[in-house]
Amino acid sequence: MNFTKFPRRGYLQGQTPIEPMKNLSKALGGKVNLFIKRDDLLPGASGGNKTRKLDFCIADAIEKGADTIITCGAIQSNHCRLTASWAAKEGLECHLVLEERVKGSYKEDGSGNNFLFELLGVKTKRVVEGGSNMMAEMEKTAAELKAAGKKPYIVPGGASNPIGALGYAACAEEMMDQLNTMGLSIDHVVVPSGSAGTHAGMVVGMVGTNAGIPVHGIDVSKPAADQEPGVYKLAQDTAELLGIKGGIERDAVKCYGEYVGPGYSLPSDDMVEAVKLFAAEEAILLDPVYTGKVAAGLIGLVRKGAFPEGANVLFLHTGGSPALYAYLDTFRA
Ligand SMILES: Cc1ncc(COP(=O)(O)O)c(C=O)c1O
């Protein structure tokens, strides 16, 4: 794959580690060997997957002459935290539109990412009702800023457009490079599937590197039947942007909806178990909204025997731990 045709800011500073999770593998019965790719350790305040996507999206904004970034997310959005973080580093203004997906959950003095938005110098935060048309809301903010003489650039929710998804196609290539150097053969990769850029990008990267490793997307908000078409469309568009011949086959996109629990961002028992297991066995912090549910999916699939005995399974850790502090009651209950 050729990424040199796309502007990039160089936020990554090298490869994120791939580590074995021997204790967790043993705690789950020792039937499969678990590994983790530590994208939670990416640069940008408190790390996480959006740094890879913003490496391309902010470069596009700067190339287009923007001086202001507008983006959106849920009230504990890691994407908004990292967009604010990179905007601060670049000397760009950052404006957020926050969606209150769970009625009554926004608190002006909230903890976790919500607190970090302010610390990272976000200029304005506007909270809108769950189910609002977020692109239309961001366009409203853009019109106001343009009228005030600014040059705004909209990064879509989760930076999940083909430009942002390039970040995860590049991650797949980085991962294959590491695995080849380590001489480690991975049989399955487990990734989050939310706004879909991470999942779609990884699928594209697996095809683009001819890796032949199946990618399992664990949904964090929707049932599989609702999630898969969006992931597939984004994967096709990203493959086209990259000029990958032959495109993406439909069955390369596989989602699991059964680990969403009661709904997006709402705690589930298996999420709490997964967060506690990762912390106790591997000293790795997950988050309650995304990676805790994805890890619940990983654990659930291992327990169900979805991976053959002896398989090497890699979990992509996409960050998010600041949100843990907004859920203390869940973990202390
Ligand atoms: C920590 C974390 N993991 C995973 C995801 C899901 O990634 P994507 O939106 O690319 O599907 C998000 C999205 O915000 C996230 O914050």
Side-chain angles (χ1 to χ4, degrees), residues 276-296:
K276 289 184 173 172
L277 261 178
F278 268 68
E281 298 293 342
E282 297 292 343
I284 289 173
L285 301 181
L286 302 175
D287 81 284
V289 182
Y290 297 98
T291 53
K293 291 199 174 165
V294 182

Side-chain angles (χ1 to χ4, degrees), residues 49-50 53 78-79 158 160 192-198 287 290-291 318-320:
N49 60 344
K50 298 308 181 301
K53 299 173 173 189
N78 299 298
H79 164 67
S160 282
S193 204
S195 67
T198 304
D287 81 284
Y290 297 98
T291 53
T318 47

